[in-house]
Amino acid sequence: MSTHQLRFGVFFQGVNSGTIWRSAESGSQTDVESFKRIAQTAQRGLFSAFFLGEGLRLREHLGRVHEPDVAGRPDAQTMLAALAAVTDKIGLVATQNTTYNDPAHLAQRLASLDLLSEGRAAWNIVTTDNAWTGANFRRGGYLDHADRYTHAEDFVRTVRKIWADGAVRHEGKHYSVDYTSKLPASAQGRPVLFQAGDSSEGRDFAARQTDVIFSAHVQLEDALAFRQDINERAARVGREEYSVKIMPSAEFILADTPQAAQEKYQWVRENQIGPQQALAYLEQFWGTRLEGVDPYGPLPESDPVVEQSSVTRGSGFQGADSKKLAAAWRAEAAQKGQNIVEFVRERSHRAGHTFTGSYDQVAQRLEEYAAHRAVDGFNISPWLIPTGLDDIVNELVPRLQERGIYPTSYGSTLRENLGLSLEPQHEQRARGELFAGQVSA
C-alpha cells in the first residue's frame, strides 16, 4: 500500500469545449447556486481546492461575441468570498493576472480572502501579453511577449514581500510601489501560490516562486518525467525534493462497469461537441462562415481566407498558419476516415487527460500514480455543471480511501490540505534575501 496520498481539486472552467451545454441536466454557469453546489460537493469529498478560471475578455467568433461564452460571471475573488461563507474547509483558488493588476492591491485582496476564509485562499498566477485582451484595459500590447515572465516575477516578489514583511518600496520597469499593509498574516501564513506555465521559462518560474503546479502532464510516464524535471529545477534554487506539488488537469468518466463507462464516454463526447460547435471550431481557422458545409461530411476543400488564426477565441486558436494547418487536417481526417464532427471531437478533447472506466478500475490506476509519486493529485474539470462531481465523491473517493491513497479528514488550512509545510524552508532561508536587488523594504 502506498503511503503517498493523492488530493483532488475542482476546476470550474467556464469557456471550454469540455462542458456539456445542451443536456437537460446542464445547469447555469453564472448562478451562484451552481458555484455553491460544486464547492459543497467537493468539500463533502474532501477535495483540497475549488479552482476558478478567469476570462478578461469575452471570446469572439468571426468578429462577434462567441455564443457559448459566459457573460455575467462574477469576479473570481468576489465569488470565492461568498463561497467562504458557505464552506469551511475547502481551499479557494482565484486565477488572477499579473499583467492587468496592481501588486499592492492584489496582495491586499488575496490576503483579505485568506483572512475571511481562515487560511484557505490561493492565487493561480497567470500572465497575458496579447493586445486583444489588453485593449479591455487600455494597454493593449504594451508588454512584450519576452517580458511576460520577468514582469510576472517582479510582480510576485513584490506581493510576497508585502505578505512577508507588511511593507514594500519598489521601483521597477513597469510600476512603482510604496505600500504598507494593515492586515495580519492568516492561519496559513500567506495564500498558496499556483501556476500553470509549461515552457522552460515557466517551469523555472514555478520552481522559484510557487507551491503548486497545475500541469498538463497526465499520462504516467509523462507525469514522472515532468516530476523529475521540476524536482531538479527546484533543487537548483534550494528547495527540497517534492516540495513543489503537481496537480495535472484531468477529466473522469466513471460507471459501475467498464462497459457502462465506455457507453458514458461516447455519450459525453457526443454531447460536448455537436455539429454547430464543430463547424464553429473550423471557422475560427478558416476565417469565414462555412455555410452549406455538411458537418457530417469531409473537411472543406476550400482554403482559409486568413493567413493566420487570431487569439479572439483563446490561446488555443492563436497564431496558426491557417493554410498549412487546413491541408494537414484534411489529410489527417481522410487518413482516419473522420467527418468534421468526429475530427473536431478528437481535436477538442486533450488526449490522455481522461480517466475512463469502472470505479474500481480507475481507483487501481490512481494507486499506481500514488505508488510512483508521479503527481500529488488531480485538478478535475467536470463535464457537467453542477452535478459533475457526484459520482467521484460518492463512489471513487471511498475506494481511494480504502487503498490509503486519499485523505480521510481535513486539516485546518489549505496549505496543510495540500501537504505543504507552514513556511517552506527555502522561504525561511531566503527571507529578506529573495528580493535582494529587486525589491527593497
Side-chain angles (χ1 to χ4, degrees):
M1 180 181 292
S2 173
T3 58
H4 181 59
Q5 291 196 330
L6 302 177
R7 293 167 170 86
F8 285 161
V10 56
F11 183 25
F12 197 118
Q13 297 182 81
V15 186
N16 66 91
S17 59
T19 301
I20 292 174
W21 304 90
R22 298 173 295 139
S23 169
E25 300 170 279
S26 181
S28 170
Q29 294 281 326
T30 59
D31 193 319
V32 68
E33 286 302 315
S34 292
F35 294 84
K36 179 180 175 181
R37 167 71 189 272
I38 288 183
Q40 291 180 333
T41 301
Q43 181 169 277
R44 181 166 60 84
L46 301 179
F47 277 45
S48 294
F50 177 90
F51 196 110
L52 270 183
E54 177 186 66
L56 296 179
R57 179 166 178 168
L58 285 174
R59 304 297 195 268
E60 295 175 5
H61 182 66
L62 303 182
R64 296 184 179 182
V65 172
H66 183 45
E67 288 184 6
D69 204 346
V70 179
R73 170 168 286 188
D75 167 73
Q77 287 182 243
T78 305
M79 174 57 74
L80 292 176
L83 294 179
V86 295
T87 60
D88 61 356
K89 295 296 184 183
I90 193 167
L92 306 166
V93 188
T95 300
Q96 299 285 274
N97 202 293
T98 57
T99 309
Y100 306 116
N101 276 292
D102 174 86
H105 186 217
L106 184 60
Q108 178 84 358
R109 288 189 286 125
L110 288 167
S112 297
L113 178 61
D114 211 20
L115 284 171
L116 284 172
S117 63
E118 299 182 307
R120 293 188 283 139
W123 171 22
N124 177 41
I125 303 163
V126 293
T127 65
T128 302
D129 57 77
N130 68 75
W132 176 75
T133 301
N136 264 9
F137 299 87
R138 298 178 64 187
R139 45 174 113 162
Y142 90 106
L143 181 65
D144 289 338
H145 184 73
D147 290 338
R148 72 194 190 284
Y149 276 118
T150 57
H151 176 277
E153 189 136 22
D154 212 16
F155 189 108
V156 173
R157 289 182 175 190
T158 302
V159 169
R160 286 177 53 183
K161 180 67 172 175
I162 292 170
W163 290 339
D165 294 350
V168 62
R169 201 173 343 112
H170 169 83
E171 294 287 339
K173 177 181 177 181
H174 299 284
Y175 51 80
S176 299
V177 177
D178 188 352
Y179 178 78
T180 301
S181 174
K182 300 178 178 64
L183 293 176
S186 74
Q188 66 175 350
R190 62 159 173 80
V192 173
L193 301 181
F194 284 71
Q195 192 258 355
D198 197 31
S199 65
S200 179
E201 195 176 11
R203 294 183 188 195
D204 281 339
F205 174 83
R208 288 191 299 266
Q209 296 292 352
T210 64
D211 304 300
V212 186
I213 297 177
F214 180 21
S215 90
H217 302 275
V218 181
Q219 290 297 297
L220 184 58
E221 288 188 6
D222 189 25
L224 284 167
F226 184 73
R227 164 73 87 185
Q228 181 178 351
D229 182 64
I230 294 300
N231 278 346
E232 290 171 355
R233 292 172 193 263
R236 288 198 289 268
V237 294
R239 302 183 68 174
E240 293 182 352
E241 193 175 37
Y242 299 105
S243 60
V244 182
K245 304 303 179 184
I246 299 172
M247 296 182 71
S249 170
E251 176 188 58
F252 286 78
I253 301 177
L254 309 171
D256 288 324
T257 66
Q259 181 180 352
Q262 285 301 319
E263 292 171 356
K264 182 185 281 190
Y265 176 90
Q266 293 302 321
W267 181 88
V268 169
R269 292 290 178 256
E270 289 170 5
N271 283 274
Q272 285 172 326
I273 300 290
Q276 180 185 4
Q277 290 95 334
L279 285 176
Y281 184 96
L282 291 189
E283 286 173 347
Q284 198 68 14
F285 294 97
W286 260 253
T288 186
R289 296 280 179 189
L290 297 176
E291 297 176 352
V293 173
D294 181 4
Y296 294 101
L299 271 66
E301 287 298 326
S302 61
D303 281 334
V305 300
V306 294
E307 293 295 324
Q308 192 176 77
S309 59
S310 73
V311 74
T312 59
R313 276 273 298 281
S315 59
F317 293 87
Q318 183 178 8
D321 184 317
S322 297
K323 290 184 179 180
K324 286 184 179 179
L325 189 69
W329 281 3
R330 284 192 206 100
E332 181 182 341
Q335 189 271 328
K336 293 180 177 178
Q338 294 174 325
N339 60 38
I340 290 174
V341 172
E342 292 168 337
F343 179 80
V344 175
R345 281 177 184 162
E346 181 178 292
R347 176 71 46 182
S348 297
H349 89 271
R350 290 172 294 174
H353 282 245
T354 302
F355 290 91
T356 302
S358 70
Y359 302 114
D360 290 321
Q361 278 182 322
V362 172
Q364 186 172 353
R365 284 184 64 191
L366 295 185
E367 191 169 13
E368 189 174 5
Y369 281 76
H372 287 87
R373 297 196 70 174
V375 300
D376 296 288
F378 295 92
N379 214 19
I380 298 171
S381 300
W383 40 266
L384 196 62
I385 302 295
T387 59
L389 295 182
D390 290 4
D391 57 352
I392 296 172
V393 169
N394 296 337
E395 301 291 345
L396 181 61
V397 165
R399 287 167 168 80
L400 299 179
Q401 290 171 329
E402 289 172 1
R403 288 167 165 78
I405 60 170
Y406 192 87
T408 56
S409 63
Y410 271 120
S412 58
T413 66
L414 174 57
R415 183 170 292 280
E416 186 177 348
N417 292 325
L418 288 168
L420 296 163
S421 60
L422 182 61
E423 184 176 30
Q425 290 187 10
H426 79 290
E427 291 186 22
Q428 294 174 4
R429 291 193 297 270
R431 183 183 292 276
E433 298 175 6
L434 182 64
F435 312 96
Q438 299 199 39
V439 182
S440 59

